[in-house]
Amino acid sequence: MLRKSLLYLSRQKRLRHWMEQSPLSRKLTARFVAGRTLEDEVRVIQKLASENILATLDFLGENVTSLTEAAGSRDTYLAALRELEAKRLPATVSLKLTQFGLDLSEEACLNNVGELVECARQSGSGVEIDMEGSEYTDRTLRIVHGLNDRHPGCVRAVIQAYLHRSQEDIQELSARGIPVRLCKGAYREPAAIAYPSKAEVDRNYVHLMKLLLDSGSRPAIASHDEKIVRTALAHVRQNRIPPDRFEFQMLYGIRRDLQRELVTKGYRLRLYIPYGDAWYPYFMRRLAERPANLLFLARNLIRS
Ligand code: FDA
């Protein structure tokens, strides 16, 4: 119930505007967001690199309303890729296609992101295409396939274990050698297309994770669920899958204890690190995943 309400609030534009302008915003978001500027982001990535942790940079934003804004997102990401290259940082970039004009023109979106993928290829980085709500799944996968045809090996797709269709999507991506980040899924979806209970989502996650570990191309296991992480570790040990064939991914600020443990044991870990002013929808989805975060938030506000 609380999860549903938080996901509903995550789409409320007026509340979003008010929250993002609030003088308390930095205090609210510090745990999950690197800061407002690319400089803040780079500082966090550098610190993590010194601890042997890889990064994927995310410039916060989604659902732009003009192609000019979409071109602005592209330019921001191009500048970020150049900065990562200049600082020799081990990072990919993650983005949402609605930030690049997917609601307005699939072709413009493909061209915008195509420029980024070309830039990432030249600098030895990569582009990870986040998955949004199910109204975008087909279009997102079409663009992923289009980008992979132009620049093979430079794009990673995201698949959500809560969707019934995900096994087929994984098989199609793996057949073309496209790497996949597997996550549970963060949006509100109807029971007709998504598993409604956590137990079913977790079961499907483990099933898809094993498929990817056994026959996917450089899969990323994106979860903070300790049971799932331990199942992955047991599976790779039993099947002698070398640690350089896959990676774990987690969100910045979540389960730091588990993050440290994986790195200490010699596994590859990449953190998803957002920055920018448009933090509200991202932040609300993190609250929805763990409503106990509301208590953490309240404590921070009381201290401020
Ligand atoms: P689950 O929600 O079951 O949580 C397991 C445990 O993890 C909890 O008990 C708690 O300890 C900890 N935890 C999880 N979320 C927390 C939070 N917000 N705060 C504090 N603790 C928390 N989704 C999507 O739809 N499209 C996408 O492109 C992506 N991309 C993505 C990238 C990366 C790197 C990650 C890690 C996740 C995503 N997600 C995503 C989000 C994903 O779908 C999912 O909503 C969250 O990862 C939460 O699911 P868990 O697998 O962590 O398990």
Side-chain angles (χ1 to χ4, degrees):
M1 181 64 195
L2 194 50
R3 175 175 186 269
K4 275 189 190 162
S5 311
L6 289 163
L7 287 177
Y8 169 78
L9 289 176
S10 76
R11 297 190 302 275
Q12 299 311 302
K13 289 192 179 131
R14 276 214 203 135
L15 183 58
R16 170 179 177 175
H17 181 75
W18 181 74
M19 292 280 281
E20 285 178 352
Q21 304 302 316
S22 159
L24 289 175
S25 70
R26 183 67 199 129
K27 200 113 207 156
L28 282 173
T29 58
R31 174 169 168 197
F32 300 122
V33 176
R36 302 181 90 114
T37 65
L38 179 57
E39 231 184 355
D40 295 328
E41 173 82 7
V42 165
R43 205 174 306 119
V44 170
I45 295 178
Q46 275 172 325
K47 179 166 183 301
L48 291 167
S50 73
E51 298 165 17
N52 257 336
I53 299 177
L54 306 167
T56 186
L57 166 153
D58 170 48
F59 174 61
L60 289 164
E62 41 206 88
N63 299 99
V64 297
T65 53
S66 73
L67 289 179
T68 312
E69 265 185 276
S73 306
R74 177 201 59 208
D75 294 344
T76 302
Y77 268 95
L78 283 172
L81 276 167
R82 290 191 193 109
E83 187 65 10
L84 293 175
E85 186 186 14
K87 299 255 172 16
R88 296 173 188 275
L89 287 169
T92 59
V93 296
S94 285
L95 54 87
K96 293 189 172 36
L97 292 180
T98 59
Q99 196 177 4
F100 289 81
L102 187 58
D103 289 318
L104 308 164
S105 153
E106 201 169 313
E107 192 191 350
C109 180
L110 175 65
N111 289 334
N112 278 330
V113 183
E115 278 192 51
L116 287 186
V117 178
E118 173 57 22
C119 178
R121 189 188 63 75
Q122 285 173 11
S123 64
S125 175
V127 177
E128 314 204 13
I129 312 285
D130 289 352
M131 189 57 83
E132 300 175 68
S134 57
E135 68 270 39
Y136 297 111
T137 312
D138 281 327
R139 282 178 282 170
T140 300
L141 290 175
R142 222 168 19 239
I143 288 185
V144 165
H145 285 292
L147 291 167
N148 185 66
D149 290 344
R150 287 189 196 177
H151 308 286
C154 297
V155 181
R156 177 179 270 139
V158 177
I159 292 294
Q160 297 153 323
Y162 62 19
L163 293 184
H164 297 157
R165 60 179 285 170
S166 288
Q167 177 165 341
E168 260 176 55
D169 290 335
I170 284 182
Q171 281 162 342
E172 208 172 310
L173 290 160
S174 297
R176 298 203 203 178
I178 303 176
V180 169
R181 172 201 299 159
L182 181 64
C183 65
K184 288 189 187 174
Y187 298 82
R188 214 178 137 187
E189 300 294 356
I193 60 163
Y195 296 104
S197 75
K198 175 169 161 54
E200 285 168 295
V201 176
D202 289 359
R203 203 171 312 123
N204 199 39
Y205 190 105
V206 170
H207 169 66
L208 299 177
M209 176 179 80
K210 289 182 178 172
L211 264 185
L212 282 169
L213 287 170
D214 293 344
S215 54
S217 163
R218 294 185 287 117
I221 308 305
S223 178
H224 318 92
D225 188 329
E226 194 164 335
K227 252 200 202 156
I228 282 181
V229 170
R230 304 232 175 267
T231 306
L233 292 178
H235 187 78
V236 297
R237 270 195 303 266
Q238 267 161 21
N239 295 281
R240 298 178 196 282
I241 298 170
D244 60 355
R245 287 260 313 276
F246 66 96
E247 66 186 42
F248 288 101
Q249 292 193 351
M250 294 192 195
L251 302 177
Y252 177 63
I254 298 182
R255 287 304 308 258
R256 281 172 278 207
D257 53 338
L258 196 51
Q259 294 173 10
R260 267 193 301 275
E261 182 189 330
L262 289 172
V263 175
T264 308
K265 286 184 169 159
Y267 291 102
R268 281 165 67 91
L269 172 70
R270 188 181 301 279
L271 293 194
Y272 183 108
I273 310 171
Y275 77 101
D277 292 324
W279 52 265
Y280 176 77
Y282 177 86
F283 176 76
M284 293 302 280
R285 289 196 293 273
R286 302 295 77 82
L287 291 187
E289 282 155 6
R290 193 160 181 262
N293 284 340
L294 283 167
L295 283 179
F296 163 84
L297 198 69
R299 274 203 302 272
N300 258 13
L301 288 178
I302 289 164
R303 272 194 220 122
S304 69

